[in-house]
Amino acid sequence: MKLSFLGAARQVTGSMYLLELEDDYRILIDCGSDLERSGSNGQTPPAVTHPGFFPFEASSINLVLLTHAHVDHSGNLPNLYREGYEGQILCTEPTFALTNVLLKDSASLNQKRINELNASKKQRVKDRQLQMQKDLFLDKQVRETMENVVPIGFNRKFRVADGVDVTFIPAGHLLGAAHIVINVMENGERKSICFSGDIGRKNYPLLVDPATVPAVDYLVCESTYGNRLHENQMTPEDALADIIQRTCIDIPGRLIIPSFSVGRTQALLYTLNRLYTERNFPPIRVFSDSPMGFESTKIYMQHISMLNKEAREFYKENETLFDFQNFQFLESSKASKAVSNFAEPCIIISSSGMVQGGRVEYHVAENISNPYATILIIGYCAEGTLGWRLLNGQQTLSIKGTDHQVLANVEKIDVFSGHGDRNDLINFVRMQSPETLKNIFLVHGEYESMESFKATLAEEGFPQVIIPKKGESFDL
């Protein structure tokens, strides 16, 4: 069999891998959006070998496997169908539901961008609009995509072709996220390969710990935190309690938390619920300002049986995970803006996590010059985003064309990161035997992180580590 690395190679986003078996059976694992600038990862992009959106003929793919819902893994699935793919997508039930929410949101944003260009009278903008219509999927493509998804359960071998079966194993990281193990009988020889997806961390709010992966011949492993450990060693409850005490209780302040709508927001709300329920925190008002966060939270409630034991027991005792005193979802943009007039201490959770687009830009703009406000960054912020500029201590920031003096406090914690750190990644690889594992391929990480993790794995007795370039293929 042949494995090609078409995305998330020497960079973090755009996961996409092509596994070609005998009899020309082709499996695509993930089909994610590339959220990084071309060439920023120190490698030269390969030449385009196919005139369409992908470097292959979409109709030649027989099956798609999806590790989890995040758009850097799922975001180009509608384009795959638009290019001529006619097959199925296999994933877990929660991944199906969350992917539907994320892709619909992307389609809505794409339509807004096209409408804005349509309103222009400039010909060069019109030309750009025509190009965007070719590149951006809309709601029609999302519907077609979701109609072809087949949800399957965890830890069950699923036969997809003669001599080929797949198993989805809980990965933590996000509700429904999976490691995918593929077993292939080829020329009388059995071969196996595991795609890690994104590896979660132990004891994360709501989510199960990453499960054990059986011995395989080949391992495709993410390396996002391959060169570092999580900075905060406190529990999520302790870390959030400390910040709320300092920013909303000791002083009558306002806490703004930029947060991704799918996964991170639910972990925050659950942790806040536990603080108010179990630690008798004062009933500070909490506003969640994200329509997509609202939809995602409903999906979490529909899959309580797939959450960790602690969350299930909390729900059994309290009959709720996310709803608590003085909590409110802000559904309309009018309600969102009205929060600016709320005079009491409060917590505002809003997307996006990098403070780039979304309603959170408005909340940051309204509070960035308030010395009694705190902006809490709880995840990775890509270079150039507003969140990145806040973390780098810029004294003046431009938000939607208006300059603002930064007088608010800016803090950061990483206890809500859904990615396992270097120790978690090492533990994942240690499930394999150095004597029987033929190759480890590192993906989904910055190149420096991959190089560092490769050296760490060599010290652990795994010298057979490859860092593939984008477009590179290997015969297995």
Side-chain angles (χ1 to χ4, degrees):
M1 57 186 180
K2 178 181 176 182
L3 176 61
S4 299
F5 294 85
L6 307 179
R10 305 194 180 189
Q11 69 177 54
V12 176
T13 64
S15 293
M16 185 163 57
Y17 318 105
L18 179 61
L19 190 64
E20 299 174 81
L21 311 179
E22 65 177 5
D23 299 327
D24 204 28
Y25 191 85
R26 296 154 67 89
I27 302 174
L28 193 68
I29 298 89
D30 285 345
C31 190
S33 298
D34 185 346
L35 306 178
E36 299 169 57
R37 293 190 300 273
S38 176
S40 64
N41 52 11
Q43 64 176 329
T44 302
V48 176
T49 57
H50 187 270
F53 192 89
F54 300 95
F56 53 80
E57 178 64 52
S59 62
S60 70
I61 303 298
N62 298 94
L63 179 68
V64 174
L65 306 177
L66 180 59
T67 59
H68 65 286
H70 284 148
V71 293
D72 61 322
H73 294 258
S74 69
N76 271 325
L77 287 171
N79 286 322
L80 192 68
Y81 282 93
R82 187 174 60 180
E83 289 278 315
Y85 178 58
E86 296 179 343
Q88 295 177 331
I89 301 169
L90 302 186
C91 65
T92 65
E93 178 66 41
T95 294
F96 164 65
L98 292 173
T99 299
N100 188 38
V101 170
L102 282 161
L103 293 183
K104 282 184 175 180
D105 182 71
S106 295
S108 176
L109 292 174
N110 290 344
Q111 186 65 66
K112 288 180 181 178
R113 293 170 66 188
I114 291 173
N115 290 345
E116 289 171 358
L117 292 177
N118 270 333
S120 175
K121 297 181 180 179
K122 296 181 180 180
Q123 185 57 46
R124 63 180 178 82
V125 179
K126 294 283 189 182
D127 294 340
R128 174 63 180 146
Q129 185 266 338
L130 290 174
Q131 181 61 43
M132 287 182 66
Q133 285 185 323
K134 297 177 182 178
D135 295 342
L136 301 178
F137 63 81
L138 300 175
D139 192 59
K140 176 183 177 182
Q141 287 79 40
V142 174
R143 290 197 303 270
E144 181 181 7
T145 300
M146 302 316 297
E147 287 170 358
N148 287 282
V149 175
V150 177
I152 64 175
F154 278 120
N155 300 314
R156 299 176 184 176
K157 282 190 177 182
F158 192 85
R159 181 176 174 273
V160 297
D162 290 340
V164 183
D165 64 66
V166 302
T167 305
F168 286 70
I169 298 171
H173 180 67
L174 179 71
L175 179 66
H179 310 306
I180 299 178
V181 174
I182 304 175
N183 290 299
V184 178
M185 182 62 73
E186 194 171 65
N187 298 322
E189 180 184 2
R190 179 166 292 278
K191 302 176 182 179
S192 57
I193 182 169
C194 173
F195 295 85
S196 73
D198 286 355
I199 299 167
R201 54 196 298 191
K202 293 183 177 180
N203 303 314
Y204 189 81
L206 297 170
L207 301 181
V208 297
D209 292 345
T212 301
V213 172
V216 295
D217 298 310
Y218 303 95
L219 185 64
V220 179
C221 181
E222 69 115 322
S223 54
T224 312
Y225 274 77
N227 62 347
R228 60 196 188 277
L229 302 175
H230 289 300
E231 297 173 4
N232 299 98
Q233 298 304 313
M234 302 170 71
T235 66
E237 290 85 357
D238 287 341
L240 198 55
D242 172 66
I243 289 172
I244 294 172
Q245 182 71 44
R246 291 187 286 105
T247 62
C248 295
I249 298 175
D250 292 344
I251 62 170
R254 174 174 289 198
L255 180 61
I256 313 296
I257 308 179
S259 175
F260 292 111
S261 300
V262 179
R264 205 72 57 86
T265 290
Q266 289 72 41
L268 273 171
L269 294 179
Y270 169 66
T271 302
L272 285 167
N273 193 2
R274 293 193 62 182
L275 289 179
Y276 293 144
T277 302
E278 299 174 348
R279 300 197 185 187
N280 297 317
F281 258 54
I284 301 165
R285 289 292 295 271
V286 177
F287 301 99
S288 180
D289 190 14
S290 168
M292 186 164 58
F294 178 70
E295 293 300 320
S296 302
T297 300
K298 290 195 295 185
I299 293 170
Y300 271 67
M301 287 298 300
Q302 293 164 2
H303 294 89
I304 290 175
S305 63
M306 302 183 76
L307 301 179
N308 62 31
K309 181 180 179 182
E310 184 180 57
R312 296 196 307 272
E313 290 179 349
F314 184 89
Y315 176 76
K316 184 177 180 180
E317 181 177 348
N318 298 281
E319 299 183 344
T320 180
L321 288 175
F322 309 109
D323 192 18
F324 47 89
Q325 184 182 5
N326 281 331
F327 168 67
Q328 180 182 351
F329 269 113
L330 303 176
E331 298 187 37
S332 68
S333 58
K334 181 179 179 181
S336 172
K337 292 180 179 180
V339 171
S340 297
N341 299 318
F342 189 76
E344 299 176 11
C346 67
I347 301 169
I348 302 173
I349 303 168
S350 186
S351 61
S352 70
M354 297 187 191
V355 203
Q356 195 72 9
R359 293 183 180 180
V360 73
E361 281 194 3
Y362 172 80
H363 295 297
V364 170
E366 288 293 307
N367 293 279
I368 198 169
S369 298
N370 176 7
Y372 290 96
T374 299
I375 300 170
L376 176 63
I377 306 296
I378 62 170
Y380 171 76
C381 291
E383 184 175 349
T385 61
L386 185 56
W388 180 85
R389 287 182 282 154
L390 282 167
L391 288 173
N392 278 271
Q394 292 191 18
Q395 298 300 306
T396 303
L397 292 177
S398 177
I399 303 175
K400 294 185 176 180
T402 301
D403 290 338
H404 300 266
Q405 187 177 4
V406 180
L407 299 178
N409 303 296
V410 179
E411 297 198 27
K412 179 183 178 180
I413 56 174
D414 64 2
V415 294
F416 289 98
S417 169
H419 279 279
D421 64 12
R422 184 181 63 205
N423 288 341
D424 295 305
L425 298 179
I426 291 172
N427 289 333
F428 176 77
V429 176
R430 280 176 179 164
M431 297 178 192
Q432 306 298 320
S433 167
E435 288 74 29
T436 58
L437 186 64
K438 296 178 180 178
N439 284 117
I440 301 172
F441 299 96
L442 297 184
V443 297
H444 200 293
E446 297 172 347
Y447 186 63
E448 294 78 8
S449 176
M450 293 179 174
E451 286 281 18
S452 175
F453 191 47
K454 179 178 179 178
T456 300
L457 290 176
E459 295 173 358
E460 291 285 326
F462 294 92
Q464 61 281 51
V465 180
I466 298 173
I467 304 176
K469 297 178 181 178
K470 187 174 183 179
E472 195 169 7
S473 299
F474 300 85
D475 292 319
L476 307 181

